[in-house]
Amino acid sequence: MSAGVLLVSVDAGVATLRLNRPERRNALNPELRARLAGALAELDRDEAVRVAVLTGSGKAFCAGVDLKDQTAPTGHELAGGTEPVSAALARFRKPVIAAINGPAVGGGLELALAADLRVAGPHATFALTEARIGSMPGAGGTQRLPLLVGRAVAMKMLLTGRAIDAQEALRTGLVSDVVADLDAEAHALAGEIARCAPLSLIAIKQAVQSGAPGQALTAGLALERGLWALLAETEDRAEGRAAFREGRAPRFTAR
């Protein structure tokens, strides 16, 4: 198992990727994003790997982009080709299970949305809070969430930033299972998948992603990234980030 901000191990065809910044609720800083994207590319080439499990260390799955990290990409950098790590996850040819052990917030939920299956622990929560800080989801949240839970539930989550708990996520179809022993159950599911024919797994995933909703998703993702980049340059976005860092309510001016 590798050390650092991302722990990676492979056993019996199952690769486990564990986000490992528990002191920051596994928030995504540039190092973690780069390591996760690199690990996915490497594991995709590894013929011994049949399926991947993505989870978090400690009490959180992922708190999204680390807003206290001053090296986060700007909107112009994203528009210029910075690839969201959730896109690297979606491109991964083999099945991915997100084992959501705690809060999945913002970009953290978008990571889970890019997986093929989502299994939650009893203390998992789910939220897209970007509107509260003058931004919007920019890594698939506005496109993938409605496909999973329906427009009404998705719009309520997106426009209010409210969180839902594991049981509501199960009722809406955001997750397939809520289990007490998350690590054991997720890896048992991964082992069951890994015993299937590897080319069949790849073909099934490709076929599902190439369906009609997936074709519309491509255009939607491009529009979402463009709008995210525009919002990232606004005064309200800067104010939202400053208010978050300073622990106060933001004062938005629609500029």
Side-chain angles (χ1 to χ4, degrees):
M1 178 173 283
S2 62
V5 297
L6 179 70
L7 307 179
V8 182
S9 62
V10 179
D11 180 46
V14 178
T16 301
L17 301 100
R18 193 176 300 273
L19 309 178
N20 192 43
R21 299 185 71 217
E23 74 286 355
R24 296 292 301 143
R25 300 173 71 215
N26 301 316
L28 299 167
N29 67 353
E31 181 186 6
L32 180 51
R33 291 198 301 270
R35 288 184 180 272
L36 181 54
L40 287 167
E42 183 176 345
L43 293 169
D44 206 15
R45 295 190 295 267
D46 188 342
E47 294 183 0
V49 173
R50 305 286 179 83
V51 58
V53 175
L54 177 66
T55 192
S57 296
K59 297 182 179 180
F61 175 73
C62 179
V65 174
D66 193 339
L67 295 182
K68 294 188 177 181
D69 188 293
Q70 299 300 313
T71 60
T74 66
H76 285 315
E77 287 170 337
L78 178 62
T82 302
E83 188 73 35
V85 71
S86 60
L89 188 64
R91 284 197 305 269
F92 193 71
R93 295 178 303 137
K94 304 161 189 181
V96 179
I97 301 170
I100 303 160
N101 55 304
V105 182
L109 177 49
E110 290 178 299
L111 278 183
L113 292 173
D116 302 295
L117 288 169
R118 283 154 295 280
V119 179
H123 302 297
T125 58
F126 307 81
L128 291 169
T129 58
E130 286 86 346
R132 294 184 176 185
I133 58 167
S135 187
M136 64 177 286
T142 67
Q143 304 301 303
R144 294 189 176 100
L145 185 63
L147 292 175
L148 289 169
V149 304
R151 181 182 175 88
V153 174
M155 287 297 283
K156 185 176 181 180
M157 291 179 65
L158 287 161
L159 296 177
T160 66
R162 290 184 189 176
I164 63 173
D165 62 18
Q167 290 301 324
E168 188 171 356
L170 180 63
R171 288 194 298 271
T172 59
L174 181 53
V175 302
S176 63
D177 301 276
V178 176
V179 296
D181 192 342
L182 177 63
D183 195 67
E185 293 290 343
H187 282 84
L189 176 59
E192 184 177 354
I193 294 171
R195 289 190 290 274
C196 294
L199 293 180
S200 295
L201 298 176
I202 292 172
I204 289 169
K205 178 169 180 174
Q206 182 178 357
V208 171
Q209 289 184 332
S210 298
Q215 293 172 9
L217 177 63
T218 301
L221 287 171
L223 175 63
E224 181 192 74
R225 287 195 297 271
L227 293 171
W228 186 96
L230 289 174
L231 283 176
E233 302 303 319
T234 64
E235 292 179 15
D236 276 355
R237 175 60 170 149
E239 164 63 13
R241 290 173 66 89
F244 179 88
R245 290 193 296 269
E246 296 164 12
R248 59 174 174 80
R251 297 181 290 272
F252 295 130
T253 60
R255 293 197 294 271

